Amino acid sequence: MNPLLHTSKLGKTFGGLKAVQSIDLSVASNQILSIIGPNGAGKTTLFNCLSGIYKPDDGDVFFEGINITGLKPYQICHLGIARTFQNIRLFPGLSALDNVMIGQFHRRRLHPLAMLFRSENYRNEEAVGYEAALELLDFVGLSEVAHTGARNLAYGLQRRLEIARALATSPRVLLLDEPAAGMNPSEAEHMVDLIQRLRGRGLAIILIEHHMKVVMQISDHIMVLDHGETIATGTPEEVRNDPKVIAAYLGKES
Amino acid sequence: MFTRLRNYILGFLGLAFITFPFLWLSLKYNYATGNVATVLNWAHGVKFFSNLTVAFAIVAILMALHYSNKKWNWSHPILLTLRPLAPLVEQPWWTPFLMVVVLSAAFYLDHKSLGLGCMLGIYMILALGLNITIGFTGLLVLGYAAFYAFGAYLFALAQQYIPGLQWWVAFPFIFVLGSALGWVIGLPCLRLRGDYLAIVTLGFAESFKELIGNLNLTGSDIGLSLSARSMVKAIPGLTVLQTTYIIVTVFLFVILFAIRRLYLSPIGRAWVAIREDEVAANSMGIDVVRMKLLAFAISAGIGAVAGMLFILYSSYINPATAAFEQSVIILAMVVLGGLGSIYGVMLGAALLYLIPEFLRDSQLIQDFSPNFSDYRLLIFGAIMVAMMLLRPQGLLGSHRHKHEIKRDT
Amino acid sequence: MSPPPKAKDGGTERNEWNPWRNLKHIFFNPKKKLRSFRNQPLEKDIKPTVSLPPPDIILGGLVRGSIYGLVALGYTMVYGILGMINFAHGEIFMIGMFTCVFALGLLSTLLSTTTLVNLLLATLVAMIFSAAFGYANERIAYRRLRKAHILAPLTSAIGLSIILQNFVFLTVSKDNISFPRVYSDQLNKVAFTLGGVHFNYLQFTILGTSLVLMAALFFFIHRTRLGIAMRGTAQDQLMASLVGIPVNKIIALTFVLGSSLAAVAGVMVSMYQSVAGWNSGYIWGLKAFTAAVLGGIGNIPGAVLGGLIIGLTEDITCYYFGSNWRNSVVFLILMIVLIIRPRGLLGERVADKV
């Protein structure tokens, strides 16, 4: 299978600390790759390297065979990689709908004069965007709160809104950073359902998650990081029985 | 709750404690020298209250415009009975009438009020322009007056070299050149994080002031003066000032309209996204540097156009136009009126421009304390502090209600 | 390549084509005299060759710069702890100036102590007054607005500085008041002469006092318990309050310290320039703020370094180009530094938190 996104020997250093080193991962469409590992293993740093917020020190990132290493976050987003954040980063002063519509930004033609005079095309685009945003909100189950400010949404809804916003950028690859963090079992169940439906849309998903139940349920592949290094990869079954993983999670003595 | 109240009261008592003895001393002095009227002059009283009424009317209109742009929660118990008024409030069909009334003020206002109206319009344009960077995009600009002075000097110099240059020919060029200047200033520092745009624009404004104060070309300290008659071709049957008032008002309406539309467009959404969370905006596909530059350039261009209007009105310009105090006043208008709120910043401009003028011109106050106008800046500062303490988000600040913006597609 | 034709001595220079002269005529106002606090040679006397500035210019620049540094400390401390620009700081500096002049007047009539004791007492009074104003500033303009939008306290501080300026303008004088000569003359004596250039005690006093105060502040912040509490508060107010640091008091202390340093600077400036004006706080404050940014805002040695650089730049610019261009050159240098080192000279790079 041809991978949509893959990296080769990706590395990032902060001062002397090797946050991430020689990571090789690949993910194809309709696939879910989960990245697990103890806190401080470098999972979020890896996401930041993939989405362009950090510039990797070594190695390359390839998207559909094109080397995208060192591109700016917005350029990577334009190519079709969208992400959510571990600590929710919505636009708190804007409505849920506006948050989603901001995701459509790069697909809009920006002609200030067309906006000033509300040309035919512009109005059509705006209407289409509005409908598409409502549809996305409906998809993640937020249609009732479309006009509520993002700040006033409940925690679980904010997580969903972040996913809707990322989807609005019409990505091919979606990077989800702990989407089920801090959720109770039933909310986590809903999140699993949502991620499954996302896969149905033909997306490649990379997921960072601590909820083992969620991870084992939905992943096609799992990659385990510890101290910035890959210590195991494979299907959920393989990873579950890997002695190194058990050691990393439970301590060396086991 | 009570500690807050106590703190406010203590704060105000402190302020009163500092200022009161001096007000009292001045009054006492004026009584002793017989400067104070002992009988109320009714004409002055009537003037005072008519001025007050006009000020209140401006405030009321701007507030009405502001709130007509919000989604109202008509099921609220207080508003439930007013529900029949909904179409009236949410669709301000009276805006065209309002525009006609404001424009026709050119015919029934006296000379002095027309001058105030012109300057008020110019300050409103400046506040609207600065609001793009500070209110929408969240970039702190401390030297906005430099762009204002730039536009004014550009037009004044162009007048000298191209005699008979008319404003309608000049203003696109002034807008474009002002934007280009903003772009050049913004380009190096908008790539950096933090408040550096503030410092760099501040430095630019100081240097610009020094430059125009030292060049012979710009008349150094004395400045440039032009003839209003050659710049503004009066509409037949109207005076030059009336024509200028109409020009300023039309510019105000056009700029207001344009900014409103930009604000509701994807560009406006991108600006607000940058203000709310820059990293997230970048990850959502917004080219942050480019959008910031766009905001700053448009804002600078509007400032330059306001400078041109100032020349049309005053036909005189000197380096003090670029002074830091000027920038600070415009900034205060924006913050006081409510960051990011279009009608709010206009309200801020109206209050901060009219209060000192009002205090200076009021004969009624001067009857009681002839040198009261010396205190106007003191009172102005006190009002600024008090307003910020009572409403930190500004008078019509919409930080909490931003999500209720109505879209008109 | 033939050498360019030279003007003959005594020849009619007027008829020769001299582009520099024309340019000068366009850009400079010949009617305006070049002003500087040092006696500047007239325009025609300035040597065309570029030479090193004489030592008295360097010393003057250092003196000016040390004062900027002292005021900049107040800006940088408040910015470091609150992340906000203390806009009324320049006015507190001005209050220090005026209080000292008044206190000197009072002391010389009430007490028959020596001038030096009077001067020290007056400085103390100025420090106490300015500290009180600094505290009031924090209470009125900042404390209630600490959680508000960053521009709200900025605006209220602008309002407060307008109040303070006009307060002095109305109650004291619309014109500059002069520093009592009795006191400044004591220190204005020539200490020694080097190569025909006079150095006086006052300059050394200012330089010495500033450096001692800066060192004391540095010691205070890095070695004492309160200083550590202050640094802790700057890192994270919530955490600091959780470990028992009285955050409100620490922030107030920051304002008080900065204001009393500004008062000392005010005393020294009024002594140095022998005048004090209601609007002199603004330009000194602005330059000091620039100095703080140049050195890296929030960084204490940075403020000192920035102050010295700006003071030197200003005086050297005055020497070479005249005082008309000094602000422009200062800000030009600021912009260049910010473009090369976005966090200022000694500022640390803060990584983005994601």
Side-chain angles (χ1 to χ4, degrees):
Chain A
M1 199 189 245
N2 212 6
L4 200 52
L5 176 77
H6 71 102
T7 66
S8 71
K9 303 235 174 294
L10 197 66
K12 174 78 190 169
T13 322
F14 292 113
L17 178 76
K18 283 182 175 153
V20 162
Q21 44 182 320
S22 53
I23 301 281
D24 293 300
L25 62 80
S26 71
V27 64
S29 42
N30 287 322
Q31 258 195 353
I32 297 180
L33 169 70
S34 289
I35 299 174
I36 59 173
N39 285 328
K43 305 182 295 288
T44 298
T45 308
L46 176 62
F47 261 31
N48 286 339
C49 288
L50 291 180
S51 61
I53 289 173
Y54 293 157
K55 208 173 167 174
D57 295 327
D58 338 283
D60 297 291
V61 184
F62 295 92
F63 179 70
E64 296 184 305
I66 313 162
N67 190 338
I68 59 164
T69 326
L71 289 187
K72 297 262 163 35
Y74 70 90
Q75 291 168 321
I76 288 179
C77 176
H78 289 195
L79 287 171
I81 300 177
R83 71 168 292 175
T84 65
F85 294 88
Q86 185 180 1
N87 42 345
I88 303 173
R89 298 190 79 144
L90 288 166
F91 305 117
L94 291 166
S95 71
L97 191 72
D98 277 333
N99 266 283
V100 176
M101 285 184 84
I102 283 167
Q104 303 163 343
F105 180 78
H106 71 273
R107 284 186 285 120
R108 300 293 298 273
R109 268 167 300 174
L110 296 176
H111 202 293
L113 286 182
M115 288 172 194
L116 283 185
F117 296 109
R118 294 204 187 284
S119 67
E120 189 73 33
N121 269 339
Y122 168 76
R123 272 181 317 202
N124 287 343
E125 265 185 42
E126 192 77 359
V128 169
Y130 186 82
E131 289 305 317
L134 278 181
E135 214 168 279
L136 272 176
L137 283 175
D138 194 41
F139 178 76
V140 298
L142 286 174
S143 47
E144 278 110 68
V145 288
H147 295 281
T148 314
R151 176 180 297 151
N152 306 336
L153 289 179
Y155 176 79
L157 298 187
Q158 291 196 356
R159 287 257 177 235
R160 285 158 176 273
L161 179 55
E162 248 202 335
I163 293 176
R165 187 182 65 177
L167 286 177
T169 65
S170 53
R172 310 274 311 277
V173 177
L174 189 60
L175 312 178
L176 298 177
D177 199 342
E178 300 200 17
M183 287 187 170
N184 62 33
S186 86
E187 281 175 329
E189 202 57 45
H190 278 290
M191 188 51 81
V192 168
D193 180 50
L194 178 61
I195 295 171
Q196 295 281 22
R197 282 192 288 141
L198 285 177
R199 189 199 340 225
R201 286 170 79 112
L203 285 169
I205 295 172
I206 304 184
L207 178 75
I208 293 179
E209 193 46 77
H210 280 302
H211 272 252
M212 277 310 131
K213 211 176 146 206
V214 173
V215 171
M216 295 300 164
Q217 229 175 323
I218 58 175
S219 310
D220 296 312
H221 286 279
I222 293 181
M223 184 167 150
V224 190
L225 290 188
D226 192 19
H227 298 298
E229 284 177 286
T230 318
I231 57 172
T233 51
T235 60
E237 280 310 308
E238 288 163 11
V239 168
R240 201 193 304 246
N241 300 324
D242 194 307
K244 274 202 220 151
V245 177
I246 297 166
Y249 269 89
L250 300 178
K252 292 283 176 218
E253 302 82 34
S254 61
Chain B
M1 167 71 209
F2 283 108
T3 40
R4 257 186 88 147
L5 200 64
R6 197 198 64 194
N7 273 321
Y8 285 142
I9 292 169
L10 281 179
F12 286 118
L13 281 181
L15 266 176
F17 178 73
I18 295 173
T19 48
F20 180 76
F22 302 97
L23 284 171
W24 179 74
L25 270 177
S26 102
L27 261 177
K28 197 172 153 135
Y29 168 78
N30 289 319
Y31 270 114
T33 49
N35 279 336
V36 177
T38 41
V39 184
L40 186 74
N41 185 330
W42 280 108
H44 293 166
V46 169
K47 186 93 190 344
F48 181 88
F49 286 103
S50 68
N51 276 345
L52 214 58
T53 320
V54 171
F56 273 131
I58 293 175
V59 172
I61 288 167
L62 286 169
M63 282 179 73
L65 281 170
H66 175 78
Y67 285 108
S68 68
N69 278 292
K70 303 278 165 221
K71 271 219 163 74
W72 286 47
N73 179 12
W74 290 103
S75 53
H76 190 277
I78 298 173
L79 291 179
L80 208 55
T81 48
L82 295 175
R83 184 138 202 174
L85 292 177
L88 200 72
V89 175
E90 288 199 335
Q91 289 294 325
W93 49 266
W94 37 271
T95 351
F97 295 96
L98 185 69
M99 284 164 77
V100 171
V101 169
V102 173
L103 274 176
S104 63
F107 298 99
Y108 53 75
L109 284 183
D110 60 358
H111 194 265
K112 198 174 168 192
S113 313
L114 270 180
L116 285 182
C118 283
M119 274 318 287
L120 181 59
I122 291 167
Y123 273 115
M124 280 181 171
I125 292 174
L126 283 170
L128 283 171
L130 187 62
N131 188 34
I132 295 178
T133 44
I134 295 190
F136 295 166
T137 324
L139 303 167
L140 181 54
V141 175
L142 284 181
Y144 194 58
F147 299 105
Y148 177 49
F150 174 75
Y153 270 98
L154 201 63
F155 187 63
L157 286 175
Q159 280 283 327
Q160 292 190 335
Y161 288 99
I162 314 165
L165 178 72
Q166 289 300 314
W167 58 268
W168 62 80
V169 182
F171 95 84
F173 293 100
I174 287 174
F175 180 80
V176 169
L177 286 172
S179 301
L181 182 69
W183 193 80
V184 169
I185 304 288
L187 194 61
C189 49
L190 281 175
R191 293 179 185 281
L192 316 173
R193 288 174 62 86
D195 306 335
Y196 290 107
L197 188 67
I199 320 296
V200 171
T201 49
L202 181 69
F204 168 68
E206 279 299 313
S207 311
F208 188 74
K209 194 179 111 190
E210 210 166 64
L211 185 77
I212 53 184
N214 284 337
L215 294 187
N216 265 356
L217 188 72
T218 52
S220 63
D221 281 348
I222 303 136
L224 298 170
S225 52
L226 303 124
S227 134
R229 284 188 183 283
S230 72
M231 282 186 297
V232 183
K233 279 208 180 106
I235 300 170
L238 294 181
T239 64
V240 172
L241 186 63
Q242 280 172 327
T243 315
T244 314
Y245 175 81
I246 290 175
I247 294 170
V248 171
T249 317
V250 168
F251 263 99
L252 175 66
F253 288 151
V254 169
I255 287 171
L256 176 65
F257 176 77
I259 287 179
R260 238 180 77 87
R261 287 213 157 167
L262 272 185
Y263 182 51
L264 296 173
S265 76
I267 291 183
R269 276 199 294 271
W271 286 339
V272 177
I274 291 170
R275 181 189 69 199
E276 299 278 325
D277 191 332
E278 204 177 312
V279 174
N282 205 345
S283 295
M284 287 303 122
I286 295 169
D287 185 347
V288 171
V289 175
R290 201 173 130 223
M291 294 316 289
K292 278 184 178 176
L293 267 177
L294 182 69
F296 190 50
I298 290 178
S299 164
I302 290 174
V305 169
M308 182 196 82
L309 294 174
F310 177 68
I311 279 281
L312 289 185
Y313 161 67
S314 76
S315 58
Y316 170 72
I317 176 91
N318 69 357
T321 320
F324 180 60
E325 289 88 338
Q326 191 81 22
S327 306
V328 163
I329 294 293
I330 304 166
L331 176 71
M333 286 168 176
V334 173
V335 178
L336 200 82
L339 283 165
S341 153
I342 291 174
Y343 296 107
V345 300
M346 288 170 70
L347 180 62
L351 287 178
L352 288 199
Y353 177 65
L354 289 181
I355 287 173
E357 292 295 326
F358 191 45
L359 291 177
R360 177 162 62 194
D361 291 342
S362 171
Q363 286 294 322
L364 187 76
I365 293 174
Q366 282 183 18
D367 284 346
F368 285 101
S369 174
N371 51 4
F372 182 80
S373 62
D374 288 349
Y375 295 98
R376 71 202 172 91
L377 277 174
L378 197 76
I379 292 168
F380 173 77
I383 290 173
M384 250 166 98
V385 176
M387 292 264 210
M388 275 301 108
L389 289 177
L390 293 171
R391 260 187 92 79
Q393 74 271 39
L395 289 170
L396 297 182
S398 48
H399 270 266
R400 257 189 336 205
H401 306 288
K402 188 141 293 132
H403 52 272
E404 284 161 8
I405 293 165
K406 206 169 64 183
R407 63 188 72 246
D408 43 4
T409 28
Chain C
M1 285 274 277
S2 60
K6 279 180 189 170
K8 284 167 202 155
D9 279 339
T12 48
E13 237 181 308
R14 184 183 286 270
N15 295 335
E16 269 179 55
W17 183 76
N18 184 347
W20 172 235
R21 189 190 164 83
N22 288 343
L23 262 181
K24 254 189 175 170
H25 209 73
I26 292 173
F27 287 114
F28 296 97
N29 189 346
K31 278 172 270 176
K32 238 173 143 174
K33 276 181 192 161
L34 294 167
R35 268 176 277 117
S36 164
F37 62 86
R38 179 182 167 273
N39 278 336
Q40 270 269 304
L42 287 177
E43 202 177 346
K44 62 179 188 323
D45 295 335
I46 292 177
K47 283 167 235 122
T49 51
V50 176
S51 58
L52 280 175
D56 60 334
I57 292 289
I58 301 274
L59 184 71
L62 285 177
V63 167
R64 182 178 281 266
S66 67
I67 295 173
Y68 283 147
L70 214 51
V71 183
L73 287 177
Y75 281 108
T76 216
M77 276 159 64
V78 168
Y79 193 91
I81 208 157
L82 285 180
M84 292 167 181
I85 302 166
N86 178 7
F87 225 91
H89 197 60
E91 269 57 53
I92 284 165
F93 162 87
M94 180 266 294
I95 295 281
M97 272 175 156
F98 276 85
T99 322
C100 172
V101 174
F102 293 149
L104 279 177
L106 256 161
L107 286 171
S108 53
T109 49
L110 292 179
L111 302 172
S112 52
T113 42
T114 61
T115 45
L116 189 67
V117 173
N118 274 0
L119 203 57
L120 286 177
L121 277 175
T123 310
L124 197 67
V125 172
M127 281 171 82
I128 292 169
F129 249 79
S130 283
F133 269 99
Y135 180 70
N137 175 25
E138 199 266 334
R139 280 310 291 259
I140 296 172
Y142 284 88
R143 185 169 293 185
R144 300 241 59 89
L145 297 175
R146 219 176 277 157
K147 298 232 161 48
H149 187 275
I150 184 141
L151 286 171
L154 189 75
T155 313
S156 65
I158 291 171
L160 205 68
S161 74
I162 292 175
I163 293 178
L164 288 178
Q165 272 188 15
N166 283 280
F167 176 65
V168 173
F169 174 84
L170 290 171
T171 56
V172 183
S173 165
K174 293 175 171 59
D175 308 311
N176 289 342
I177 61 169
S178 55
F179 193 83
R181 292 207 73 85
V182 193
Y183 295 99
S184 51
D185 284 349
Q186 289 274 322
L187 286 165
N188 242 333
K189 280 183 203 148
V190 174
F192 60 89
T193 308
L194 189 82
V197 187
H198 303 301
F199 293 90
N200 58 32
Y201 286 116
L202 183 59
Q203 289 176 319
F204 289 111
T205 315
I206 292 176
L207 208 55
T209 317
S210 319
L211 291 179
V212 166
L213 283 175
M214 287 163 187
L217 183 75
F218 195 75
F219 176 81
F220 174 79
I221 285 182
H222 284 268
R223 288 284 179 275
T224 62
R225 273 177 70 85
L226 273 177
I228 291 166
M230 212 180 245
R231 283 189 293 151
T233 311
Q235 294 278 323
D236 190 333
Q237 284 182 26
L238 184 68
M239 273 315 291
S241 69
L242 287 179
V243 297
I245 295 172
V247 170
N248 280 343
K249 282 182 186 156
I250 292 292
I251 291 174
L253 176 73
T254 312
F255 275 82
V256 164
L257 270 181
S259 305
S260 39
L261 290 180
V264 180
V267 171
M268 295 194 301
V269 167
S270 50
M271 215 148 56
Y272 194 48
Q273 301 190 328
S274 59
V275 286
W278 61 274
N279 56 359
S280 51
Y282 154 65
I283 191 73
W284 281 88
L286 192 60
K287 292 278 180 58
F289 178 55
T290 312
V293 174
L294 184 72
I297 194 150
N299 182 307
I300 288 183
V304 179
L305 181 69
L308 291 178
I309 288 176
I310 284 190
L312 277 174
T313 311
E314 221 179 299
D315 278 17
I316 292 173
T317 311
C318 283
Y319 178 71
Y320 285 121
F321 305 105
S323 65
N324 285 346
W325 298 96
R326 60 190 202 194
N327 293 346
S328 306
V329 173
V330 165
F331 285 114
L332 193 70
I333 284 184
L334 175 76
M335 283 187 207
I336 292 169
V337 168
L338 283 185
I339 288 164
I340 299 168
R341 278 191 69 91
R343 293 251 152 216
L345 288 173
L346 299 184
E348 290 139 30
R349 231 190 91 88
V350 181
D352 309 348
K353 279 180 196 158
V354 179

